[in-house]
Amino acid sequence: SPLMMIGLLLISVFGCEEKLNAPFEDEAFTSDVDYSDPEGIILPLLGAYEGLYTRGWEDPITFGIRGDDVNAAGDQVPMQEQDQFIYLASHWNANTIWQGRYNDIVNVFTAIDEINKYRPAVNDEELADQYVAECRVIRAYLYLDVVRTFGGCIVIDDLTTIQSTPVSNKVETMQYIVDEMADVIADLPDIHPNKRTDIPGGVTQFTAYAIQAIAYQEMEDYEGVATATSAIINSGEFQLHDDFYHLFKRDGKLSDENILEFQFSDFNQGEGDRFGHLFAPFGMAWNPVRAGAGGGWGFYEPTKKYIKFMLDRGETVRLETSVCWTPDGMAEIESEWGALPGWITNFNREGDEFVDNARKKWGAGKWIQPSTELVEGRTGQGSNKNMIVIRYAEMLLMYAEALTRGATGSASLSADDAVNLVRDRADLTDLSGVTTAQVLDEKFAELGTEWGIRYYDMIRTENTAELSHEGRTFTMDKAYLPFPADQVSELPQLSEGL
C-alpha cells in the first residue's frame, strides 16, 4: 500500500538500528553520504517529514485544551491550569511545544542544505526545487503552530543568527507564512497529496494554499482567505469523505478530504517495526471487542458545553463521531439537558464498551481508534491510526466565512453552497443566506476537538463570552501562552516580549 511505502522509505532512511522517532540529526546525512548518487536526494526530505510527523503525546492535547470544546481531564497540573487560563512560564508542555517545533525547523534548514548538495548529481532542477519547496511548506506549518500558541516567535533567516534575531509578532509571522507559500506554490505538484507516488500524502500546492489561507485568516485578511481557498476548491482534487464517522478511522487514511495528514503505520504486521503516535492519552477505560486492546490514560474530554450544543442542533453522525460516552456521562447530561436520543449509548459502532472511570466522562472519539481496527498482535491504543491535520471541510467553511465578511472568491460556490456541502454529509437541512455566526457555529460542530481550531476562531473574533464557560473566565490577555522560561533564558530577545 502507499502507506507501507512511505513507512518502508522512512525505515530505509533511518535504519532499524536507529529509532525512527529519534530526532533527525545533521550527522545522519553528512557522514558516509554520497552526493553523487541522485537517488539519495529524497532522503533529507524524508527526514523533514519524519520531524513533522513525530510528536510528543502532549503535543496535540496542548493545542486543543483551551477551547470551549475540550477539557484537559487527565492528571497533568499544567494542562489543567492552562484549561482554566492559568499560565506559568514554567509549564513543561508549553516548553516542549516550543522546543519541538524549533528542533523541527532547524531540521528543515538542514534538509534544504542537504537537498541542494545533491543538485549537481540529480541534474533535475525542477525536482530539487520541489523538494526544497516541500521543506519550506513544512517549516511554515511549524511556525504557524508556534505563533498561534505564543502570539509571536523568532523567524529564522540563518541558523547562525538565531540568538540575535528579534521576535516577530503574530501579524509579521503570518505575513512571512503568506509570502513563503506564494513563493513556493509554483514549484509544488498540482495534485491531491494522495496522488503522489514518491511520498504518498506528501505536500502539494494545495497544502501550501491551505496553510496560506489559515495565515490570511489569522490576519483577518478575508480576501486572501477567499483567494487561497478558491484555488483548493477550483482544483477539483478534493471532496468530502462520504462517511464522517469513518473519516477518522482506518478508512479515512489518505482520503480525498485530507489536505495535511501525519502518516503512521505498523506496516500491517503484528510485531516489530512501527512508526506511530502515542494515542493512549486520548483513550479511556473500556471493555474492548479485541481482547487486550489498550484503553488509555483519560485525557482530553469533550466539554458539556460542546455536547449540549450538538444535542441542541439535532446532530447525529458528528456527535456520535466526536463524543464517546460513559454511563456516568450519559446520566449527567440527561440530568441537565433532558432525555438523550435513543441512539446514544456507551458503546461505539464496533462494539467497544466505554465504562465509568475517575478521569473523564466523555471521550474525544475522533482521536480514539476502535479496537477492531488494530492489526492482529498490536494492542496499543491508536496503533496504525493517522492524524488528519487540515481537511477540505475546514477550507470550505473558511471560504464561506470569508464570503459572509464581504470577500469575493473565484470559486463557483456561494457561501450557502459551501456550508451546505458540509451540512449535507452531516444529514442536516440546508441553510440559505448564511451568516458569519452560522458559519462559526458550523465550524464548531464540524471541527470540534480538532487541533485547537475552535479556540483560534474565538481568539480571532475576540469572543470572550464563548470561552468563559463552565466556571472559567476568559479575557483577551490570556489569548497566548507566555514564552517558556527555559527558552527565555537561552534567547534573551524573548524577555523583551512582543
Side-chain angles (χ1 to χ4, degrees):
S1 75
L3 195 68
M4 281 187 70
M5 277 176 55
I6 187 170
L8 294 169
L9 278 167
L10 284 163
I11 289 290
S12 72
V13 177
F14 295 92
C16 293
E17 72 283 359
E18 291 181 76
K19 295 298 182 191
L20 193 53
N21 60 357
F24 158 81
E25 299 285 357
D26 187 18
E27 294 76 29
F29 297 103
T30 52
S31 57
D32 304 319
V33 173
D34 180 5
Y35 295 111
S36 68
D37 178 6
E39 303 268 308
I41 192 170
I42 198 171
L43 300 182
L45 177 62
L46 288 172
Y49 277 102
E50 189 267 349
L52 176 67
Y53 295 167
T54 303
R55 311 221 146 203
W57 67 264
E58 73 288 342
D59 188 288
I61 290 174
T62 301
F63 291 121
I65 53 178
R66 291 184 293 158
D68 54 339
D69 50 343
V70 177
N71 295 324
D75 64 356
Q76 284 294 314
V77 171
M79 292 177 177
Q80 292 166 353
E81 289 180 337
Q82 290 157 4
D83 192 5
Q84 300 288 332
F85 312 120
I86 300 165
Y87 305 154
L88 299 177
S90 58
H91 280 155
W92 70 269
N93 59 321
N95 186 55
T96 62
I97 295 293
W98 179 285
Q99 197 163 14
R101 289 300 166 288
Y102 274 97
N103 285 345
D104 294 340
I105 287 165
V106 170
N107 289 342
V108 169
F109 275 93
T110 305
I112 291 171
D113 189 42
E114 294 295 308
I115 288 165
N116 287 330
K117 290 177 184 175
Y118 281 98
R119 278 184 189 269
V122 171
N123 197 24
D124 183 344
E125 288 299 311
E126 282 190 13
L127 181 67
D129 288 347
Q130 176 192 317
Y131 284 3
V132 169
E134 289 180 58
C135 287
R136 290 169 68 182
V137 174
I138 290 170
R139 183 171 63 193
Y141 176 75
L142 295 165
Y143 279 126
L144 188 66
D145 271 353
V146 175
V147 76
R148 291 210 285 185
T149 304
F150 299 101
C153 65
I154 296 171
V155 176
I156 304 168
D157 284 324
D158 179 334
L159 293 182
T160 63
T161 60
I162 298 173
Q163 295 282 343
S164 58
T165 304
V167 176
S168 294
N169 65 26
K170 181 177 172 183
V171 171
E172 291 164 341
T173 308
M174 294 302 170
Q175 188 63 55
Y176 162 81
I177 291 169
V178 163
D179 293 344
E180 275 282 280
M181 297 304 90
D183 205 37
V184 302
I185 282 168
D187 291 333
L188 293 164
D190 183 15
I191 55 174
H192 192 289
N194 65 16
K195 290 182 180 173
R196 288 194 53 179
T197 54
D198 53 348
I199 302 178
V203 165
T204 72
Q205 287 190 8
F206 306 110
T207 325
Y209 276 122
I211 290 168
Q212 187 184 58
I214 292 168
Y216 273 129
Q217 181 175 261
E218 290 286 351
M219 296 164 70
E220 298 179 72
D221 180 341
Y222 295 107
E223 200 60 55
V225 174
T227 301
T229 52
S230 290
I232 296 168
I233 294 166
N234 288 341
S235 73
E237 290 285 314
F238 297 88
Q239 58 182 347
L240 298 179
H241 199 75
D242 60 359
D243 182 326
F244 188 83
Y245 182 85
H246 284 107
L247 173 62
F248 300 93
K249 310 296 186 287
R250 196 163 55 195
D251 185 55
K253 283 191 170 192
L254 294 179
S255 164
D256 287 347
E257 179 164 352
N258 301 343
I259 299 176
L260 178 61
E261 179 178 2
F262 297 161
Q263 311 284 318
F264 303 115
S265 181
D266 47 27
F267 312 126
N268 284 326
Q269 56 188 18
E271 56 187 1
D273 288 321
R274 66 180 289 272
F275 179 52
H277 180 78
L278 182 61
F279 281 98
F282 294 104
M284 53 200 291
W286 66 352
N287 292 319
V289 172
R290 177 74 62 80
W297 303 357
F299 286 67
Y300 210 75
E301 174 187 58
T303 59
K304 286 197 286 186
K305 177 183 175 182
Y306 179 70
I307 293 166
K308 291 173 184 176
F309 168 81
M310 297 294 273
L311 287 166
D312 286 343
R313 288 167 58 90
E315 296 277 352
T316 52
V317 67
R318 291 195 296 200
L319 176 54
E320 178 193 6
T321 303
S322 303
V323 179
C324 300
W325 301 75
T326 65
D328 280 351
M330 293 173 67
E332 186 163 330
I333 296 295
E334 289 213 315
S335 71
E336 297 179 16
W337 187 82
L340 291 172
W343 60 265
I344 290 179
T345 168
N346 62 310
F347 289 79
N348 61 18
R349 286 188 193 181
E350 294 76 15
D352 299 315
E353 179 187 18
F354 300 101
V355 298
D356 292 333
N357 64 94
R359 285 277 173 91
K360 64 183 182 185
K361 294 178 178 173
W362 305 276
K366 291 172 178 174
W367 299 86
I368 297 172
Q369 184 181 35
S371 71
T372 54
E373 294 205 339
L374 290 170
V375 171
E376 195 69 51
R378 302 286 184 181
T379 58
Q381 169 60 232
S383 183
N384 197 34
K385 179 174 171 58
N386 280 3
M387 277 184 179
I388 304 169
V389 185
I390 303 176
R391 325 195 251 121
Y392 185 50
E394 183 182 7
M395 295 297 114
L396 286 169
L397 295 174
M398 286 170 60
Y399 169 84
E401 183 188 342
L403 266 54
T404 67
R405 294 185 183 276
T408 51
S410 64
S412 58
L413 300 179
S414 66
D416 288 355
D417 293 335
V419 170
N420 289 333
L421 277 171
V422 175
R423 288 177 63 86
D424 288 350
R425 176 173 62 178
D427 295 327
L428 296 177
T429 56
D430 286 355
L431 299 177
S432 60
V434 69
T435 64
T436 302
Q438 285 176 312
V439 178
L440 288 169
D441 276 354
E442 203 63 42
K443 287 187 78 175
F444 193 24
E446 174 73 20
L447 299 159
T449 76
E450 294 181 52
W451 292 104
I453 293 168
R454 167 65 174 184
Y455 179 73
Y456 302 136
D457 277 346
M458 295 300 96
I459 296 303
R460 171 170 56 89
T461 56
E462 299 195 3
N463 198 327
T464 56
E466 291 296 324
L467 292 174
S468 299
H469 71 104
E470 294 174 27
R472 302 164 177 80
T473 303
F474 179 81
T475 49
M476 282 303 293
D477 62 320
K478 297 297 186 181
Y480 304 105
L481 299 181
F483 293 134
D486 286 359
Q487 306 307 320
V488 175
S489 67
E490 296 285 331
L491 300 163
Q493 64 268 50
L494 295 177
S495 63
E496 296 161 23
L498 298 172

